[in-house]
Amino acid sequence: MAWYVEDFSEWERRYSPQFNVVPSTNWFKGQDLESGAFVEGYSDQVLRVVQVSSHKVLPDFFRVGILPVCSDTFRSIVEKLEPNVHQFFPIEFEGNGRGASDPKCFVFNAVNALDAVVVEKSSVYLHEWEAMSGSGKMTRYSRVAIKSPGGLVLKKDLVEGKHMWRTSNVLPRLLFFSDELMRAVETARLKRLTVFPAAEE
């Protein structure tokens, strides 16, 4: 069994603190973290943010914009299961002192891209729509979407032994956790992450 988070918008919004990013000329975009590839050139970078919501305690999972953020506890769990595989970029909190005092949090990049979804056995469909493109022309778009939670089937031989990954064939914005990683998250009582099961065959 594996588990997936459907995009970062599915993380429970009422538990998600809000931040403004301190302007930087050298910081990656959220899209850079959707390919399951190593992001180059940011090993010495720190994302600096100012909290604007009134949350007094930061959850273990939240977003800064669309960037996925985790606590140091989650980072330690992942590093124990898959040492030196994924990327974690530290965050510095500035300004009004809201949230936990000096929390250790990280933007994280799941560096595993697997052609893992068995499309013909999964509850998915082709979502098509039209919208104005950046050039001002009406353009037709399409992407694979999930019909119902728990409707995905993964290739067991590909995901076996992996603990955190993205898929490279369809649904690239999904983040997957292994059963072992989910058990560790639950044992550590990490909070506020909404997940759905995915079968393995």
Side-chain angles (χ1 to χ4, degrees), residues 47-68:
L47 179 64
R48 294 184 295 131
V49 299
V50 175
Q51 185 175 337
V52 296
S53 63
S54 59
H55 294 77
K56 300 299 182 187
V57 178
L58 298 180
D60 292 284
F61 303 95
F62 58 93
R63 294 170 292 131
V64 172
I66 64 171
L67 296 173

Side-chain angles (χ1 to χ4, degrees), residues 104-118:
K104 287 186 178 180
C105 295
F106 300 84
V107 174
F108 67 97
N109 181 23
V111 186
N112 274 325
L114 309 174
D115 181 9
V117 176
V118 185

Side-chain angles (χ1 to χ4, degrees), residues 150-192:
L152 293 184
V153 177
L154 306 179
K155 301 172 185 175
K156 185 174 182 178
D157 60 328
L158 279 184
V159 303
E160 195 166 15
K162 300 289 191 300
H163 293 288
M164 188 165 68
W165 69 90
R166 294 185 178 281
T167 51
S168 58
N169 55 339
V170 293
L171 306 167
R173 299 188 74 179
L174 298 188
L175 181 66
F176 288 84
F177 290 174
S178 69
D179 222 11
E180 189 174 354
L181 178 54
M182 274 308 305
R183 282 195 299 270
V185 165
E186 291 168 359
T187 298
R189 297 187 177 181
L190 303 191
K191 52 191 177 294
R192 309 312 174 197

